[in-house]
């Protein structure tokens, strides 16, 4: 009897990788990158801090303080690598799980928590951070992103001072019509956009095999633009590949798809129980590819950081966790009628009617 390796745990051969799970630096002919020790320490800090915010959010949800939370556990490198590749003028269209990218864009994590606590409608100003609001409707943000990128193109912001757009989505989203339509528009109009697919192997309980019979990145060629698969647990490779794709988009070379091959180590959301549909050995195999551990091993081996550095980052993470928790619990509840305030930019008759109905309903309560 042969023992099959756990599903998705074998590294596929066509994967761009610059840092192995053991923390060994490897070369790549197309995507090399020179990082200073300072930059490596910065990436490590990002990875640890976003994981800490995520863990705190899961705990807050378990304590009844958030309605739901979509954990990024395991996907930190894909998000920090791509997020740190962005230029300030680039525009991001996220899903609901891009907490690491939000971090790179300077969005206060408490604003993310406010959304999942149900006390705000979005939580941040997309124009201020060049980071659009979270989108729950699977794949729809890719169409918004292509529309935005085509607008940038029409404003003439392609070339030397060009700005790129990046759309995040999951493996499951690749089966949505919206995503396929967005590929077509981006391709035929040569839009300055990067499609960043985090293939975390699952769409809730639906495995990757139910989305595609070919590697996802190869879909791109059918639409007429390049696709590449990167080790999504390798922050160096994600940074290098995304940096190049964004630079190409900005300079007018059109769209590109990046498939970040990674794994969702937690549940789909806090409402999900993955033990119902996946085997524990799959998770165990992926734990060995942890995106943070490999950077830590690399830093130790190459004397880029000492124990004091790691202790200081851990202390900073604990402090951040405490601060985020405290400020989350202090978030004020909105006025019930505020739900009608920003549905439309202009006054709207239907909203006025519904507001009045709801106000009358609220008046029916005593006190
Ligand atoms: C249009 C639409 N259909 C279904 C859903 C329900 N739904 C929420 S998350 C999800 C799975 C998405 O999987 P994937 O794209 O792989 O992203 P991941 O959650 O794994 O990051 C589904 C089907 C939805 N939100 N929107
Ligand atoms: Mg997925």
């Amino acid at each position: 009897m042969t023992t099959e390796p756990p599903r998705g745990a074998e590294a596929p051969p066509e994967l761009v990788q610059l840092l192995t799970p053991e923390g060994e630096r490897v070369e790549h002919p197309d995507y090399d990158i020179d990082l200073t020790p300072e930059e490596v320490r910065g990436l490590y800090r990002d990875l640890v801090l976003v994981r800490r915010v995520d863990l705190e959010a899961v705990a807050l949800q378990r304590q009844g303080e958030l309605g739901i939370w979509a954990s990024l556990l395991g996907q930190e490198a894909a998000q920090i690598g791509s997020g740190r590749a962005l230029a300030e003028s680039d525009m991001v269209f996220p899903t609901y799980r891009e907490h690491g990218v939000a971090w790179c864009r300077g969005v206060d994590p408490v604003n993310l928590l406010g959304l999942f606590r149900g006390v705000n409608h979005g939580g941040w100003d997309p124009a201020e951070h060049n980071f659009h609001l979270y989108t729950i409707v699977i794949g729809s943000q890719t169409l918004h992103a292509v529309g935005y990128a085509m607008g940038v193109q029409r404003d003439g912001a392609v070339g030397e001072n060009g700005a790129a757009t990046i759309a995040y989505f999951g493996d499951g989203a690749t089966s949505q019509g919206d995503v396929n339509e967005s590929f077509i528009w981006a391709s035929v109009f040569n839009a300055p956009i990067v499609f960043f697919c985090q293939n975390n192997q699952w769409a809730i309980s639906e495995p990757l095999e139910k989305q595609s019979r070919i590697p996802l990145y190869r879909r791109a060629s059918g639409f007429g633009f390049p696709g590449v698969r990167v080790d999504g647990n390798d922050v160096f490779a994600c940074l290098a590949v995304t940096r190049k794709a964004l630079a190409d988009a900005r300079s007018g070379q059109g769209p590109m798809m990046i498939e970040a091959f990674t794994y969702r180590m937690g549940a789909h959301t806090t409402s999900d129980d993955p033990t119902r549909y996946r085997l524990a050995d799959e998770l165990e195999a992926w734990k060995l590819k942890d995106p943070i551990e490999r950077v830590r091993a690399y830093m130790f081996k190459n004397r880029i950081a000492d124990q004091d550095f790691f202790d200081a980052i851990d202390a900073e993470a604990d402090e951040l966790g405490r601060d985020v928790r405290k400020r989350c619990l202090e978030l004020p509840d909105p006025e019930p009628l505020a739900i009608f305030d920003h549905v439309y930019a202009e006054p709207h008759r239907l909203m006025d009617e519904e507001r009045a109905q709801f106000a009358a309903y609220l008046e029916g309560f005593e006190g």
Side-chain angles (χ1 to χ4, degrees):
M1 198 182 96
T2 54
T3 6
E4 292 274 318
R7 213 186 51 82
E10 289 270 278
E14 65 272 58
L15 192 79
V16 177
Q17 187 180 69
L18 299 177
L19 189 63
T20 69
E22 295 74 33
E24 295 296 338
R25 189 75 167 77
V26 285
E27 304 283 313
H28 192 278
D30 304 323
Y31 295 102
D32 216 8
I33 195 168
D34 255 338
L35 293 167
T36 64
E38 188 69 39
E39 286 172 314
V40 174
R41 285 192 287 267
L43 291 170
Y44 178 82
R45 174 176 174 270
D46 286 336
L47 294 168
V48 171
L49 296 188
V50 298
R51 179 169 288 187
R52 188 64 177 79
V53 169
D54 189 75
L55 284 176
E56 198 65 44
V58 172
L60 280 163
Q61 195 284 334
R62 289 294 184 245
Q63 292 156 5
E65 299 294 347
L66 303 182
I68 189 171
W69 181 253
S71 168
L72 64 36
L73 190 66
Q75 299 177 221
E76 295 89 348
Q79 296 194 13
I80 296 299
S82 59
R84 287 296 177 211
L86 292 161
E88 215 174 300
S89 55
D90 295 336
M91 185 67 174
V92 180
F93 286 79
T95 71
Y96 40 81
R97 206 187 289 284
E98 264 66 79
H99 320 314
V101 188
W103 170 263
C104 296
R105 294 314 263 176
V107 175
D108 183 346
V110 176
N111 289 344
L112 304 176
L113 297 186
L115 182 64
F116 288 90
R117 191 172 166 86
V119 298
N120 68 44
H121 280 175
W124 56 91
D125 177 355
E128 190 187 326
H129 299 279
N130 272 6
F131 184 78
H132 207 267
L133 297 182
Y134 272 6
T135 305
I136 313 281
V137 183
I138 300 299
S140 61
Q141 75 281 4
T142 59
L143 282 172
H144 310 155
V146 171
Y148 184 91
M150 288 172 63
V152 169
Q153 189 181 39
R154 276 151 188 71
D155 288 344
V158 177
E160 210 168 300
N161 296 316
T165 298
I166 187 166
Y168 286 86
F169 54 98
D171 43 293
T174 63
S175 299
Q176 284 289 133
D178 284 10
V179 174
N180 290 270
E181 289 163 24
S182 76
F183 285 180
I184 294 168
W185 280 81
S187 173
V188 298
F189 287 97
N190 208 41
I193 185 164
V194 175
F195 293 108
F196 195 94
C197 176
Q198 285 170 87
N199 173 5
N200 64 9
Q201 313 295 328
W202 291 94
I204 313 185
S205 54
E206 206 66 1
L208 178 66
E209 302 89 88
K210 289 289 182 297
Q211 313 294 346
S212 184
R213 292 184 67 167
I214 59 160
L216 293 176
Y217 79 95
R218 283 204 216 144
R219 292 257 180 96
S221 71
F223 290 91
F225 52 90
V228 64
R229 181 184 259 179
V230 59
D231 182 343
N233 286 15
D234 173 352
V235 70
F236 296 171
C238 289
L239 176 63
V241 170
T242 315
R243 198 178 262 177
K244 171 130 187 8
L246 289 167
D248 287 352
R250 282 184 217 117
S251 67
Q253 294 182 55
M256 169 138 177
M257 176 179 175
I258 299 172
E259 176 193 355
F261 197 81
T262 181
Y263 191 73
R264 191 196 79 207
M265 288 167 81
H268 170 70
T269 66
T270 46
S271 306
D272 172 46
D273 173 8
T275 63
R276 299 282 297 271
Y277 56 82
R278 72 181 185 191
L279 296 170
D281 66 344
E282 186 180 303
L283 175 60
E284 292 309 310
W286 277 92
K287 277 187 189 166
L288 301 174
K289 301 176 184 216
D290 188 284
I292 300 185
E293 283 312 311
R294 68 177 72 184
V295 182
R296 196 180 161 87
Y298 170 76
M299 291 169 83
F300 255 127
K301 273 185 220 168
N302 292 280
R303 298 177 203 280
I304 288 174
D306 55 15
Q307 193 55 48
D308 285 351
F309 169 81
F310 292 117
D311 291 347
I313 297 291
D314 287 345
E316 187 182 357
D318 285 345
E319 184 46 40
L320 177 65
R322 267 194 296 274
D323 173 62
V324 161
R325 161 175 291 268
K326 178 168 175 291
R327 288 191 297 124
C328 173
L329 298 181
E330 286 167 1
L331 285 170
D333 283 342
E335 284 299 314
L337 293 176
I339 196 162
F340 298 99
D341 285 354
H342 301 292
V343 180
Y344 289 100
E346 305 285 325
H348 194 283
R349 198 168 49 80
L350 181 63
M351 279 304 112
D352 292 344
E353 278 172 25
E354 291 187 353
R355 184 187 292 104
Q357 275 172 13
F358 194 49
Y361 167 77
L362 291 173
E363 270 163 28
F365 292 95
E366 282 176 25

